[in-house]
Structures are given as structure tokens and as C-alpha cells.
Amino acid sequence: MSAAALASPATSFVDLADPFVLESGTTLPQVRVAYRTWGRLAPDGANAVLVCHALTGSADVDAWWPGLLGPGRALDPDGDFVICSNVLGSCYGTTGPASAGPAGRHWGADFPAITVRDMVGVQARVLDAL
């Protein structure tokens, strides 16, 4: 795998099939999640490695953990299928305040409060979709 291919994976998107109900009870009618992957998924899925980030909301594992991702490293795309999605509310392509809301305008300050459980719930739905 070339260093250029490792450093610049394409961002992909998945639109959740159903509305997502937040822990608060508020429903997001549409949720789009941006994600990036490195490596190839084995037919049985046994080589999948989900990488989660704490603060940035960015799926750019190669940018924020460059020492861990690459051939011969802990996250090795030659054997692992590494996936990282942006968190719900992210400004990096996943549904959040900058996204169009139900009224057709940006959510802005009206974007509902979200919890870590909401973020994990969306991430689980992304994995199911993939």
C-alpha cells in the first residue's frame, strides 16, 4: 500500500435508512454520516477495526494517529479493515448544526442536544448499514 493512498482515503457517506431518535426523544428525520476506511474487509468481517475519537469529530485517523496507522503498525491496512466515522453533530460532513433541518434551513442553534449514547447509536447504525 503506498503512503499516498494511506494518507488520502476518500470520504464516503451513508444515509441512515430510518429517522434516528435521540436519547432526549427528539427525532432526526435524516442522518448522513461521513466515514473513511483503510484496507479491505474480509468476507466474514473478522478483520474490522473500529476507531473512535474523543474530541475532533473527524474521521481522519491518518492525520491524528499517524504513528498507529500504516503497514506494520498497530492499525495495519494490509491485514485490517480500519473504519472511522465522524460523530453525530460533527462539522466534518455528518449531520449537525450546519446540515439542513426539517424546515429546509440549516439547524444552526436549533440542532438538538446530543449525548455520547446518541453518537454511539448512530455509529452502530452505520456499521449495520455497511
Side-chain angles (χ1 to χ4, degrees):
M1 173 174 286
S2 73
L6 181 62
S8 300
T11 298
S12 297
F13 298 89
V14 64
D15 293 310
L16 300 185
D18 298 311
F20 185 79
V21 180
L22 299 171
E23 192 173 12
S24 67
T26 301
T27 298
L28 296 177
Q30 300 172 343
V31 175
R32 169 169 272 198
V33 179
Y35 68 95
R36 290 189 175 184
T37 63
W38 295 260
R40 291 194 176 161
L41 184 62
D44 65 358
N47 69 332
V49 178
L50 176 64
V51 177
C52 302
H53 45 76
L55 301 173
T56 66
S58 156
D60 303 334
V61 176
D62 54 328
W64 43 266
W65 267 356
L68 291 179
L69 178 67
R73 296 184 179 158
L75 302 172
D76 186 346
D78 290 337
D80 299 322
F81 178 70
V82 179
I83 182 169
C84 184
S85 64
N86 295 345
V87 296
L88 181 63
S90 165
C91 60
Y92 295 98
T94 294
T95 297
S99 303
R105 59 179 176 75
H106 294 289
W107 282 96
D110 293 329
F111 192 74
I114 56 174
T115 66
V116 172
R117 282 190 179 120
D118 295 327
M119 293 176 193
V120 171
V122 165
Q123 192 172 49
R125 296 263 306 268
V126 167
L127 293 175
D128 288 342
L130 297 177

